[in-house]
Amino acid sequence: MLERTRRKNRTEITFVLAAGHPAGEVSVVGDFNDWRPGAHPMAERPDGTRAVTVTLPVNERHGFRYLAHGGRWLDEDGADGHDGRNSLLHT
């Protein structure tokens, strides 16, 4: 799930995964962090979900995926679109 908070000249995107799925560490990897694994690790929230917030300029399109423990890649069903390889979001 993607949660968005629009500011004057930026958008805060919070990437959220359900509690316990997938097991182990997960990070958000995308063109906004040069596809670097671990650059944006997801942290557990009090309700058990995991999340990380990334601040991006408005009116941009970004590709991203989740990278789980063991090199497993996951897509975001609630993304703004998919290009056949990546989930997409529009700020």
Side-chain angles (χ1 to χ4, degrees):
M1 172 175 44
L2 301 174
E3 299 173 350
R4 301 164 199 257
T5 304
R6 183 83 181 246
R7 305 288 184 203
K8 183 177 179 181
N9 59 353
R10 67 193 192 295
T11 302
E12 295 172 357
I13 307 290
T14 301
F15 299 87
V16 182
L17 289 176
H21 178 73
E25 296 178 6
V26 180
S27 63
V28 177
V29 185
D31 56 16
F32 48 83
N33 62 18
D34 295 322
W35 297 97
R36 287 180 300 143
H40 290 98
M42 300 186 83
E44 189 170 336
R45 302 195 297 189
D47 65 0
T49 61
R50 287 176 286 175
V52 64
T53 300
V54 177
T55 301
L56 301 168
V58 296
N59 299 320
E60 290 188 355
R61 179 180 148 182
H62 295 278
F64 73 96
R65 294 188 84 191
Y66 299 107
L67 179 58
H69 179 76
R72 183 173 162 217
W73 291 96
L74 305 164
D75 293 314
E76 170 60 59
D77 292 336
D80 297 331
H82 295 87
D83 66 5
R85 289 184 40 165
N86 302 310
S87 300
L88 302 174
L89 67 88
H90 303 279
T91 59

